[in-house]
Amino acid sequence: MNQPFVLFILSAFVILSGCSKDPGGYHREEYKVVKFEDVPPDLKIPTKAWDMLTFQAAPDAHGEGHGEGSEKAESSTKEVVFSDVTVFLVDKNPGVLKEEAIKFELPRGGGEIDLSQYVNDRQGSFYVGFEFPAFTEAKQSKVLFVSHARKRRLGEIVYGAGCNQILDITTKYNLAMKGEGLKVNTTRERHITVLGGTFLFSAEKGDTVYVAQVSFVDPAHKNLFCEAP
């Protein structure tokens, strides 16, 4: 696993105060709502990620990160149900986003967000937030990130986990969403390095596991993604 990337993506979950009455960040009273009607295509999830999502795989000694694995479509012994997930993009610096605050209502199972449609060509920061209702009263929960971004050097630091690297970000995610959310910066497309990939969510309730995914892409910067030549 690439340690600089791990430090980068996890430190990006900026937490000011989990107990604050007004955590700020992606929390706003009004958003421009973007509703996705199309059902997402069948998910292709690496085997190790699927086992983690369905609570079949024991965590490693560090609780984070697994390498590339083969893809798997079959379900676990538990019933798997695709669930709703909502995504928020909110300006920290005015004008970074094409709308000040955007709320994406994704269909059951999640979907794909094209960042090039919502992010301006301007340097600055914005917040990213998620709501996965199935987490409420769940016996277990899990949030993974599967990186689809290339490694690249910015200054003295190499960013990017590389293709199909799997990170368990559950603890950091839970703390961040109680605060500002995930704060990313657009300078030299750092936000693509952080978000370029798929966030996977799962919650276990009884014999049922609720699952959703959110993928971030940017066709305008294909060279930063693994599938680019």
Side-chain angles (χ1 to χ4, degrees):
M1 189 197 311
N2 182 277
Q3 188 63 20
F5 173 81
V6 175
L7 293 176
F8 177 64
I9 189 170
L10 295 185
S11 64
F13 286 91
V14 179
I15 305 154
L16 293 183
S17 174
C19 300
S20 172
K21 293 182 179 179
D22 182 15
Y26 79 93
H27 303 273
R28 299 293 171 90
E29 292 185 0
E30 296 184 0
Y31 302 88
K32 175 180 175 57
V33 176
V34 177
K35 189 175 181 63
F36 285 39
E37 300 290 351
D38 294 337
V39 176
D42 292 339
L43 301 184
K44 293 183 178 180
I45 300 175
T47 299
K48 291 182 180 179
W50 183 259
D51 289 344
M52 294 169 72
L53 287 174
T54 54
F55 308 101
Q56 298 182 82
D60 61 24
H62 302 287
E64 318 212 26
H66 291 271
E68 182 176 356
S70 62
E71 293 179 347
K72 161 178 173 178
E74 64 267 29
S75 64
S76 69
T77 55
K78 301 182 179 70
E79 180 185 10
V80 176
V81 175
F82 293 113
S83 188
D84 298 329
V85 61
T86 303
V87 183
F88 305 87
L89 302 183
V90 175
D91 267 345
K92 174 176 173 60
N93 302 119
V96 172
L97 299 176
K98 294 180 180 180
E99 300 285 345
E100 181 180 349
I102 311 169
K103 177 181 180 180
F104 298 89
E105 296 181 351
L106 303 181
R108 291 186 181 277
E112 181 179 276
I113 295 175
D114 179 355
L115 292 170
S116 67
Q117 295 186 26
Y118 305 102
V119 181
N120 283 319
D121 185 17
R122 181 175 297 186
Q123 295 184 5
S125 298
F126 64 93
Y127 298 102
V128 183
F130 303 89
E131 286 185 0
F132 186 56
F135 281 158
T136 304
E137 299 182 352
K139 177 182 177 182
Q140 298 187 78
S141 62
K142 183 72 67 179
V143 183
L144 306 179
F145 178 73
V146 182
S147 171
H148 298 153
R150 292 178 179 272
K151 295 179 182 179
R152 61 190 179 115
R153 181 178 294 278
L154 297 176
E156 299 297 321
I157 302 176
V158 176
Y159 295 107
C163 301
N164 299 320
Q165 292 299 306
I166 303 167
L167 304 176
D168 183 343
I169 60 172
T170 307
T171 299
K172 295 291 186 180
Y173 167 90
N174 288 335
L175 290 173
M177 293 307 128
K178 292 178 182 177
E180 291 185 327
L182 170 62
K183 183 173 71 173
V184 294
N185 190 275
T186 62
T187 303
R188 298 184 65 181
E189 289 76 46
R190 285 179 172 86
H191 66 294
I192 296 176
T193 301
V194 175
L195 299 176
T198 300
F199 289 82
L200 298 167
F201 306 86
S202 70
E204 182 183 20
K205 297 183 181 182
D207 293 328
T208 302
V209 177
Y210 297 86
V211 174
Q213 61 87 23
V214 177
S215 294
F216 290 99
V217 300
D218 191 328
H221 295 91
K222 290 183 178 180
N223 60 306
L224 299 181
F225 289 84
C226 300
E227 63 270 21

